[in-house]
Amino acid sequence: MSSGNPKTRKKILHASWQLLEAAQGREVRMSDIARNAGVSRQAVYLHFPTRSDLLIATTHHIDEVKNVDARLAKSRSAATGMERLSAFIEAWGNYIPEIYGVAKALIAMSETDDAAKLTWDDRMQAVRHGCRAAVETLEKEGQLASQHSVTQGTDILSALLSVQTWEYLTINCGWSQQFYIEKTKVLARQILVSGNPGS
Amino acid sequence: MSSGNPKTRKKILHASWQLLEAAQGREVRMSDIARNAGVSRQAVYLHFPTRSDLLIATTHHIDEVKNVDARLAKSRSAATGMERLSAFIEAWGNYIPEIYGVAKALIAMSETDDAAKLTWDDRMQAVRHGCRAAVETLEKEGQLASQHSVTQGTDILSALLSVQTWEYLTINCGWSQQFYIEKTKVLARQILVSGNPGS
DNA sequence: GGAGTTACTTTACACAATGTCAAGTGGAAA
DNA sequence: TTTCCACTTGACATTGTGTAAAGTAACTCC
């Protein structure tokens, strides 16, 4: 963060982002990123001491550009728990494909790198907060299905909204993005809302 | 398969299995496996030309020892769709922790190795078959929730029973194995069974 | 305008892990 | 006794990450 020209830093982050999205997180080397950014491999290491640092910075960079926080926060203004649930599923669910490549790389890195794991866990924590807010609202309205506590409902909803589940349903099962969003809303209602009004 | 003493092969497979389970799939090198098996690193390469081959063989070896097929098939003898659902969730859900370490390694390998990907996809296909059989039975009984088709129900159930979802709920959320099984049964009923009798 | 600073390039190398190669060994079978 | 088999030993190629050090071009400050 301290050393180097911010313009070069941005060039590197942009190249990293672009390549990771294009390759869906796979087989993107430091040298590929350097070449694509039009700088030497060592310039990358001047800005980001390790691959993990670069992946983490790329994640934060995308968050900033795409303004995730604001997008997720929007769901908080919904009036009812049901609306809040839908709004959050839309906000996060539609964000996943935009970060999928980088997320994949970061998840893979998490297996061996603690800093990467912290960054990803932090991200998941933010999603959990959104989930919990929706589930808590349902509970206050007396609408939460009796089968689950607030915490359990949060666990289940965030599992449903995990990148891994998104990946399985869209990429492996062939669901379209729109279908994934609609279906996830239906599932969340079936699971979390008492009386279960369905689709 | 052709060359080498079958006893040595088994020693290697056993060491591989043991180490992968202990390390939960992370940071297990060919040399670690060789040392643990009491053979030279090159002996491992004589039996398994690549790391991917060894992981694949280890997966098959565990399946054989643990007799997965028989365990999964057992659910097919259940009378009703609901019972079939429960039996399959128990059979597969309780198998996951037994293969988790090797599964993790194989999934990681799948990112870069086509043969590993084929092996893992094949495994997932077997799970899907079990899921589909249960969902189809529900449908024939007129019990399948109207929100989902057989294929969609299969997609959802297999997502719920994925290793990744198991990992998230047990390891990240702290659910016990037993709780995971019971909760997954409740979820499957909420999602798939019309009228939704609950827990 | 010369000295120093900054940001980057170039080149070289250390290191870890996979995978290859070839010569050697020890025991069992012909 | 010779031959073969299964394995060992040790050397090496390759790929990717990360480090180190010298060089360069532009810009800044007296």
Side-chain angles (χ1 to χ4, degrees), chain A residues 93-112:
Chain A
N94 281 323
Y95 191 56
I96 297 176
E98 304 193 42
I99 51 147
Y100 175 62
V102 181
K104 263 239 118 176
L106 197 60
I107 290 169
M109 187 104 247
S110 297
E111 302 295 329
T112 56

Side-chain angles (χ1 to χ4, degrees), chain A residues 141-159:
Chain A
E141 292 169 349
Q143 291 242 62
L144 183 61
S146 61
Q147 289 97 334
H148 312 293
S149 70
V150 169
T151 299
Q152 290 159 16
T154 303
D155 292 345
I156 295 160
L157 184 57
S158 51

Side-chain angles (χ1 to χ4, degrees), chain A residues 37-56:
Chain A
V39 300
S40 68
R41 192 169 69 90
Q42 275 52 39
V44 176
Y45 280 103
L46 286 178
H47 287 269
F48 309 98
T50 69
R51 186 182 147 83
S52 167
D53 289 323
L54 176 53
L55 291 183
I56 290 168

Side-chain angles (χ1 to χ4, degrees), chain A residues 41-189:
Chain A
R41 192 169 69 90
Q42 275 52 39
V44 176
Y45 280 103
L46 286 178
H47 287 269
F48 309 98
T50 69
R51 186 182 147 83
S52 167
D53 289 323
L54 176 53
L55 291 183
I56 290 168
T58 305
T59 306
H60 291 324
H61 179 236
I62 297 176
D63 285 353
E64 203 184 314
V65 172
K66 299 260 183 180
N67 211 353
V68 219
D69 289 341
R71 282 163 73 165
L72 294 188
K74 234 182 70 181
S75 70
R76 245 167 270 165
S77 63
T80 70
M82 286 265 291
E83 281 165 10
R84 209 157 176 168
L85 203 55
S86 284
F88 187 75
I89 290 169
E90 266 183 45
W92 174 251
N94 281 323
Y95 191 56
I96 297 176
E98 304 193 42
I99 51 147
Y100 175 62
V102 181
K104 263 239 118 176
L106 197 60
I107 290 169
M109 187 104 247
S110 297
E111 302 295 329
T112 56
D113 185 283
D114 286 344
K117 182 160 171 48
L118 278 174
T119 301
W120 185 248
D121 286 352
D122 191 62
R123 167 64 38 92
M124 285 303 90
Q125 207 56 32
V127 174
R128 275 189 70 86
H129 277 128
C131 291
R132 179 172 270 271
V135 175
E136 270 172 351
T137 308
L138 280 177
E139 202 223 4
K140 272 174 203 144
E141 292 169 349
Q143 291 242 62
L144 183 61
S146 61
Q147 289 97 334
H148 312 293
S149 70
V150 169
T151 299
Q152 290 159 16
T154 303
D155 292 345
I156 295 160
L157 184 57
S158 51
L160 223 51
L161 287 173
S162 72
V163 170
Q164 287 88 350
T165 300
W166 176 89
E167 180 182 40
Y168 180 70
L169 293 174
T170 61
I171 296 177
N172 287 47
C173 298
W175 291 15
S176 72
Q177 174 61 18
Q178 201 196 326
F179 188 72
Y180 162 79
I181 295 289
E182 292 313 314
K183 210 71 180 175
T184 302
K185 285 185 193 170
V186 171
L187 288 173
R189 279 176 215 157

